[in-house]
Amino acid sequence: MTLEPQPAAKVRRPRVSLHVLRITLVLHAAFVIAQPIAAGYFLSGNVDAMTDVHSTVGGTIWMIAFLQTVAAACYTLVGRGRIWPALVSPILVVAEFVQLTFGYLQNFAVHVPLGTAIVGTVCWMAVWSFRRTARLNRREAK
């Protein structure tokens, strides 16, 4: 009696859902990085940078965060990826809507630090999505 090797069980990992999450994260990161740049142009004397770029992009960013939330939920539920992106993404939607509100109210004591936290979080998530650990399912990641 010979023992034949058993075929390895197919491990389900996030693939398509991870690619969609990466696309939304990179798009989100590009938009949030554009925000302090546009604000800098405004502070250096280009008045149109605030109305043409900063406020327009700011009104769009929270919607991109909503799309990211959908992509993160698919990554977590369908792709069986990590849970934390599906938890952090809706928090970003709320934070960016609050950011938008305080920006229009010109409350810079909240607007600037919250914007810094948003930029850092989104960029960190975008970088993480290209790391090897993002490709692992929940069981493999433990």
Side-chain angles (χ1 to χ4, degrees):
M1 177 172 179
T2 61
L3 294 175
E4 293 184 26
Q6 295 291 328
K10 185 170 179 156
V11 177
R12 186 169 179 180
R13 292 187 178 127
R15 294 189 198 293
V16 174
S17 59
L18 177 59
H19 291 300
V20 172
L21 181 60
R22 284 176 179 164
I23 290 167
T24 57
L25 281 168
V26 168
L27 179 67
H28 197 179
F31 274 72
V32 297
I33 289 170
Q35 286 299 85
I37 294 170
Y41 277 118
F42 173 74
L43 292 174
S44 68
N46 184 349
V47 180
D48 293 334
M50 189 57 67
T51 56
D52 292 346
V53 180
H54 191 75
S55 64
T56 305
V57 171
T60 307
I61 287 179
W62 71 273
M63 290 182 260
I64 295 171
F66 179 75
L67 293 175
Q68 175 186 316
T69 301
V70 172
C74 290
Y75 168 79
T76 300
L77 298 174
V78 177
R80 296 201 167 107
R82 302 283 190 87
I83 294 173
W84 69 263
L87 298 176
V88 172
S89 294
I91 293 170
L92 279 171
V93 172
V94 173
E96 289 172 359
F97 190 76
V98 168
Q99 174 74 351
L100 177 72
T101 303
F102 278 104
Y104 280 119
L105 293 174
Q106 296 182 355
N107 184 338
F108 302 120
V110 175
H111 188 71
V112 173
L114 182 57
T116 304
I118 289 169
V119 170
T121 303
V122 172
C123 290
W124 172 70
M125 288 180 76
V127 169
W128 168 84
S129 72
F130 288 94
R131 296 181 51 109
R132 183 180 91 57
T133 57
R135 292 189 299 263
L136 302 176
N137 66 26
R138 284 191 288 275
R139 287 189 181 159
E140 293 174 317
K142 289 181 182 180

